[in-house]
C-alpha cells in the first residue's frame, strides 16, 4: 500500500474514531476475531458516514457483506448489524460478543 493511501486511511479512521468511538471499537474487535479465517478478507471502511466492516471471500464469490454497529434501544446496548435486501437492519448480535458475531458471519460467507 502506498504511503499516501496509508495516510488517507489513517486520517479517515482518526476522524471516524473521534465521532464514533463505540462503533469503531466494536468493529475492530469483530475484525480481530476474523484473524483465523484465511479464506475471508475484512477491512474497516466508511459507509454513509459511519464506520463499517466489509467482509469478502478471498475467492471473490458471494459479494461483500457490510457490517455496521448501531445502538439497539430495546436492548440498551450496541449491536453489530447488516442490511437486509429490503434495506431493513438485520441485528446480528451484541457488540460485546465479537467472536460469536465473527463465527456467524464466517459461516454465512462460506455458505455463499
Amino acid at each position: 500500500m502506498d504511503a499516501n493511501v496509508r495516510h488517507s486511511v489513517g486520517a479517515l479512521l482518526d476522524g471516524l474514531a473521534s465521532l464514533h468511538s463505540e462503533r469503531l471499537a466494536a468493529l475492530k474487535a469483530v475484525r480481530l476475531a476474523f484473524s483465523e479465517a484465511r479464506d475471508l478478507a475484512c477491512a474497516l471502511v466508511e459507509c454513509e458516514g459511519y464506520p463499517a466492516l466489509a467482509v469478502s471471500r478471498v475467492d471473490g464469490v458471494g459479494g461483500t457483506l457490510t457490517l455496521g454497529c448501531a445502538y439497539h434501544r430495546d436492548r440498551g446496548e450496541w449491536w453489530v448489524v447488516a442490511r437486509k435486501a429490503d434495506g431493513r437492519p438485520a441485528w446480528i448480535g451484541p457488540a460485546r460478543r465479537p467472536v460469536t458475531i465473527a463465527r456467524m458471519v464466517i459461516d454465512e460467507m462460506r455458505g455463499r
Side-chain angles (χ1 to χ4, degrees):
M1 182 182 299
D2 114 344
N4 290 332
V5 171
R6 277 195 305 271
H7 177 72
S8 296
V9 170
L12 172 67
L13 292 176
D14 287 344
L16 289 173
S18 66
L19 297 172
H20 304 290
S21 59
E22 296 93 346
R23 290 179 171 148
L24 195 54
L27 294 172
K28 283 181 177 180
V30 173
R31 185 184 68 177
L32 183 61
F34 274 97
S35 62
E36 294 180 24
R38 303 281 184 226
D39 57 334
L40 298 173
C42 61
L44 287 168
V45 296
E46 178 270 334
C47 181
E48 299 178 13
Y50 296 99
L53 186 64
V55 182
S56 299
R57 285 177 38 172
V58 174
D59 64 9
V61 175
T64 300
L65 179 61
T66 303
L67 306 174
C69 189
Y71 192 76
H72 196 304
R73 290 190 177 136
D74 294 341
R75 301 200 184 256
E77 62 184 333
W78 289 92
W79 274 54
V80 173
V81 63
R83 187 172 289 159
K84 295 179 183 180
D86 65 5
R88 293 181 306 144
W91 299 94
I92 297 172
R96 62 183 159 76
R97 306 190 97 178
V99 174
T100 301
I101 291 166
R103 286 183 184 145
M104 291 171 64
V105 172
I106 288 167
D107 289 345
E108 164 68 21
M109 293 304 293
R110 286 181 176 161
R112 289 183 174 196

